[in-house]
Amino acid sequence: MKATALAHPNIALVKYWGKRDDALILPHQSSLSLTLSPLSVTTTVEFGVPTDAVEINGHTSKGSERERVLRLLESVRAQTKDALGPAKVVSRGDFPMAAGLASSAAGFAALAVAGRAAAGLPSDARAASILARLGSGSACRSVEGGFCEWQRGERPDGDDSFAVQRFDAAHWPDLRMVVAVLDRGEKDVKSRDGMKQTVETSPYYAAWVRDAEEEVPRARAHIARRDLQALGELCERNAWRMHSTSLAADPPLCYLNAGTLGLIQHLREHRKKGIPVWFTLDAGPNPVLLTDAANEVAAEALARACGALDVIRCVPGGDAVLKQEHLF
Ligand code: DP6
């Protein structure tokens, strides 16, 4: 009745931005991401305790965060014949929330894998991805490692909306992602609210959906050939388009700050000098630089020269895994 899992966060190369179903977390478009190592979140789940209890990074979880965890576990209960009873959840991440990387993606992926195992359900990446999606959309892409594609699906019940691994981490061991933490503050508008505002008010939203859907197979082809330049250019284009559709929302959503723009300007200068480095940007001011092993030191130096307070260097990460050691 107790199980523990470890999962890595992921960074979207083609972003997910907007839901067609808020309750089931079904996206308007497909997306594609890279799982990031060595960052991880570990989560232990035990069923059959006296009352539900959720602790994340040493704090008792409250409000919508707690509700999301309990809702995911409710879905686990619905899949078993046994009466599992209330659950205790303890989750711990090993990277700063302030990095702007969605720790929730790794957290809900670990919760889904541990929750299924604690309930005695068999290991099943697709079922775990669907479950993780109920916690946070991007979490469905952290169940497996390497490059994962979240297929938007068509069904109203969401059973065909899950992530599949296209290439494992060993496909491109030379690829590097360098997180440039320019700002440690919490963002004003969370992804969940920002994407909803964009769907509802941006006149460019339909174009975003069409374009992102078309970029996914192109990104897949660039990854298949390990074509860093083509993938880098696609990543930047896709990030700009996500931010453009958000800037066109009413009221406008601007996640970039002056530091973000300064770093992007410097990237261009570096590329002119022949250093292969591109950026992607989630719903926050901290860019993630895409480069290769030979240039990661140069990418880190660039980030620091542009005011990065912290720099986190990442490599392609593996699948979420069950662990023998529990957190309680
Ligand atoms: C910009 O997965 O955090 O990082 O589904 O509402 O929990 P919810 O949102 P979330 O949004 C991620 C948005 C993004 C792009 C991406 O990761 O694809």
Side-chain angles (χ1 to χ4, degrees):
M1 296 298 252
K2 191 195 255 195
T4 298
L6 175 148
H8 300 288
N10 69 77
I11 181 81
L13 307 174
V14 178
K15 313 282 181 201
Y16 139 60
W17 196 243
K19 299 175 181 67
R20 65 178 196 276
D21 184 316
D22 289 333
L24 290 175
I25 312 201
L26 300 176
H28 274 291
Q29 29 80 220
S30 304
S31 54
L32 190 152
S33 62
L34 173 65
T35 305
L36 300 179
S37 184
L39 314 179
S40 68
V41 174
T42 302
T43 303
T44 298
V45 179
E46 181 175 22
F47 286 106
V49 298
T51 49
D52 285 327
V54 181
E55 184 198 301
I56 299 178
N57 291 330
H59 299 288
T60 303
S61 182
K62 295 189 208 81
S64 66
E65 183 183 64
R66 176 183 156 91
E67 278 166 30
R68 282 159 81 176
V69 171
L70 296 182
R71 186 172 159 235
L72 192 157
L73 294 175
E74 207 38 58
S75 177
V76 174
R77 290 189 188 95
Q79 291 172 46
T80 57
K81 287 185 227 80
D82 315 323
L84 296 172
K88 176 171 177 177
V89 175
V90 174
S91 184
R92 229 171 270 157
D94 65 3
F95 59 101
M97 299 285 283
L101 285 172
S103 58
S104 59
F108 282 113
L111 178 69
V113 172
R116 283 183 57 87
L121 292 164
S123 161
D124 179 336
R126 174 176 163 167
S129 179
I130 290 175
L131 194 57
R133 195 200 73 220
L134 295 175
S136 185
S138 52
C140 78
R141 301 184 311 234
S142 271
V143 169
E144 289 185 285
F147 299 85
C148 292
E149 213 173 288
W150 177 9
Q151 300 170 333
R152 65 181 291 282
E154 305 283 340
R155 291 172 58 112
D157 65 5
D159 273 4
D160 57 354
S161 188
F162 52 86
V164 289
Q165 185 188 61
R166 290 293 182 197
F167 306 93
D168 66 14
H171 169 72
W172 198 345
D174 198 41
L175 191 64
R176 293 290 180 274
M177 303 296 286
V178 177
V179 186
V181 184
L182 297 172
D183 187 335
R184 292 201 187 102
E186 258 196 45
K187 54 192 174 203
D188 297 339
V189 184
K190 290 192 163 41
S191 297
R192 186 159 291 196
D193 303 325
M195 65 175 84
K196 191 169 170 58
Q197 191 172 315
T198 307
V199 173
E200 286 170 359
T201 67
S202 175
Y204 302 162
Y205 188 70
W208 155 259
V209 170
R210 209 170 41 243
D211 179 71
E213 196 66 41
E214 288 170 6
E215 292 282 49
V216 169
R218 285 185 206 123
R220 196 194 304 146
H222 300 329
I223 295 164
R225 290 196 314 275
R226 299 185 196 86
D227 186 338
L228 182 60
Q229 175 163 354
L231 184 64
E233 287 172 1
L234 188 152
C235 271
E236 288 202 352
R237 188 163 78 218
N238 180 260
W240 278 126
R241 288 175 186 173
M242 184 198 106
H243 287 273
S244 305
T245 185
S246 304
L247 281 163
D250 188 14
L253 277 163
C254 183
Y255 286 107
L256 295 81
N257 64 23
T260 319
L261 289 170
L263 197 150
I264 290 170
Q265 186 61 38
H266 271 80
L267 282 187
R268 292 193 183 134
E269 301 302 322
H270 267 60
R271 284 204 294 267
K272 280 188 200 147
K273 289 183 209 147
I275 298 175
V277 54
W278 289 266
F279 77 92
T280 183
L281 190 67
D282 277 348
N286 298 328
V288 179
L289 309 183
L290 185 76
T291 188
D292 58 15
N295 290 286
E296 67 175 332
V297 171
E300 169 162 359
L302 162 74
R304 291 203 186 274
C306 291
L309 307 168
D310 288 308
V311 174
I312 307 170
R313 288 201 227 157
C314 301
V315 298
D319 296 349
V321 287
L322 288 171
K323 309 289 280 184
Q324 295 307 318
E325 284 156 30
H326 304 301
L327 294 181
F328 62 89

